[in-house]
Amino acid sequence: MPELPEVETVVRLHRDLVVGRTIHAFVSRWPRQLTPGPAAFKRAVVSRRISHLGRRAKWIVANLDGGGHLLIHLRMSGRLEWRKDAASRPEPAHARAYFDFDNGSRLYFCDARKFGRLMFLADLKVLDAELGVEPLGAEFTVKKLADLLSARRRALKPLLLDQRIIAGVGNIYADESLFRAGLHPLRHASRLKSAEVQRLHAAIVQVLTLGIQHNGTMIDWIYPDGNMQDHLQVYGRTGKPCLACGTPIVGLRVGQRGTHVCPQCQPRRGLRRPVRRAASINRRSDLRLAGREARPRRQK
DNA sequence: TGAATTGTTATCGT
DNA sequence: AACGATAACAATTC
């Protein structure tokens, strides 16, 4: 759930609390989420001082004195909780790891679903090599977006969600961007008119900026800080009237993701041609059935 | 009870 | 071969 604006909010809320602090101890209760393994990770971060806290895409990036970076990815349900005095209160729910600092404070990494990741990286280039352009960075221009769109034969929404192309947009902000640009999520990326590319560029920048201004979107119990949910126009509004035209918002699935569109404001003109080969369709459904049958049941 | 939830990765197909 | 589509996966909540 945490996307670029939520991660940015978390970074801003914690920057003054951790920058300048030296990590005295690190404890993990779920070592599987560490890269490298527990021993190497601990060795890499303990007794190091945090010189800066920033963000790359959806990664929280803590620069460490003497080089190297401590990276945190919240994935679905990860969150940070800072305590001035480590022993003052009971641990927060789902505490999976914590960092103890030189002044007695403690930073918990909590994660109900355990999908989050903690990583030590000696060189940020490794991360940069896997991530696309920062949508709020200077290099994200209309021309840059036009180049990215024209280079790929793909539907718009999966492209927006692909972190290797544009880094930081997730499901909520993808839907909101497409709505504000008046573009259907299944529109073919390389077939947009230049005016449409311009609208999409402006929509992405505006909706992410708005998200940051509102401290992100509060989803269920995860983010108590933000109020961007009050400004979403399509996400989670299936069946409710479009705020622009009153047409009921439609929920559909695009690339296995829940997707929300206004069929009036986001016309399907220019839609990708559907796959028409019956053999291909049959083969796919056969595979799907076979896969479902063959999938082993989860062991408790 | 199982469907829904997400970003990433492995894999399959074109 | 390179790219796109999709299944699998990590666990939990309601």
Side-chain angles (χ1 to χ4, degrees):
Chain A
M1 300 285 202
E3 305 178 26
L4 188 154
E6 289 75 31
V7 176
E8 181 64 28
T9 300
V10 169
V11 165
R12 292 180 182 184
L13 287 173
H14 290 85
R15 183 172 284 142
D16 290 344
L17 301 174
V18 303
V19 169
R21 300 271 65 85
T22 296
I23 300 168
H24 270 190
F26 169 76
V27 171
S28 169
R29 305 229 174 84
W30 191 247
R32 294 171 61 169
Q33 67 191 172
L34 305 179
T35 307
F41 183 91
K42 191 169 180 173
R43 207 181 318 126
V45 302
V46 166
S47 77
R48 309 285 300 279
R49 178 180 167 275
I50 296 175
S51 60
H52 180 260
L53 194 70
R55 177 190 61 75
R56 174 75 170 98
K58 300 173 190 171
W59 288 91
I60 298 164
V61 181
N63 294 354
L64 303 177
D65 269 355
H69 311 268
L70 168 59
L71 307 180
I72 303 175
H73 202 303
L74 302 173
R75 290 277 189 104
M76 269 189 83
S77 60
R79 59 189 182 86
L80 299 182
E81 189 161 329
W82 181 84
R83 297 280 174 85
K84 182 173 185 171
D85 175 7
S88 61
R89 280 186 286 157
E91 285 199 345
H94 310 298
R96 307 300 181 196
Y98 60 79
F99 301 85
D100 279 333
F101 296 114
D102 50 358
N103 63 352
S105 64
R106 175 178 286 185
L107 185 69
Y108 283 102
F109 177 74
C110 306
D111 189 9
R113 291 176 190 164
K114 301 181 179 176
F115 296 176
R117 293 289 176 265
L118 305 180
M119 178 158 65
F120 173 80
L121 211 54
D123 193 339
L124 267 191
K125 281 177 185 167
V126 176
L127 189 64
D128 278 326
E130 293 170 4
L131 294 172
V133 61
E134 277 289 327
L136 294 183
E139 66 276 31
F140 186 61
T141 59
V142 174
K143 181 181 186 321
K144 177 73 175 178
L145 179 61
D147 291 344
L148 292 172
L149 293 174
S150 64
R152 310 267 171 167
R153 172 162 302 156
R154 223 172 157 185
L156 273 179
K157 180 164 174 179
L159 187 144
L160 289 181
L161 292 177
D162 190 334
Q163 303 298 298
R164 296 167 302 181
I165 299 173
I166 299 172
V169 177
N171 205 30
I172 296 175
Y173 293 92
D175 279 5
E176 293 296 313
S177 297
L178 290 167
F179 171 78
R180 282 159 211 252
L183 296 170
H184 195 281
L186 289 174
R187 287 284 301 278
H188 194 303
S190 65
R191 289 186 192 157
L192 297 194
K193 299 180 202 164
S194 65
E196 292 174 325
V197 176
Q198 248 174 318
R199 285 195 335 248
L200 181 58
H201 178 271
I204 292 169
V205 172
Q206 284 169 13
V207 82
L208 291 174
T209 303
L210 193 67
I212 292 173
Q213 282 170 1
H214 290 283
N215 297 320
T217 305
M218 181 180 77
I219 296 291
D220 299 331
W221 69 99
I222 299 172
Y223 279 98
D225 305 311
N227 64 318
M228 181 62 185
Q229 66 278 4
D230 299 334
H231 303 271
L232 300 180
Q233 313 219 26
V234 287
Y235 185 86
R237 298 194 65 249
T238 300
K240 294 179 180 168
C242 171
L243 297 171
C245 73
T247 306
I249 301 299
V250 171
L252 60 152
R253 280 196 105 67
V254 176
Q256 323 298 106
R257 287 292 180 265
T259 298
H260 314 74
V261 295
C262 170
Q264 182 73 28
C265 298
Q266 298 166 269
R268 296 170 69 105
R269 181 174 53 81
L271 197 62
R272 298 174 56 116
R273 203 169 38 149
V275 178
R276 287 185 300 178
R277 288 171 55 242
S280 158
I281 291 165
N282 288 338
R283 216 181 306 135
R284 263 213 303 266
S285 58
D286 287 349
L287 269 178
R288 199 160 47 230
L289 288 171
R292 191 169 293 173
E293 217 165 301
R295 179 166 27 177
R297 292 186 147 271
R298 178 184 301 282
Q299 302 295 317
K300 285 281 172 185

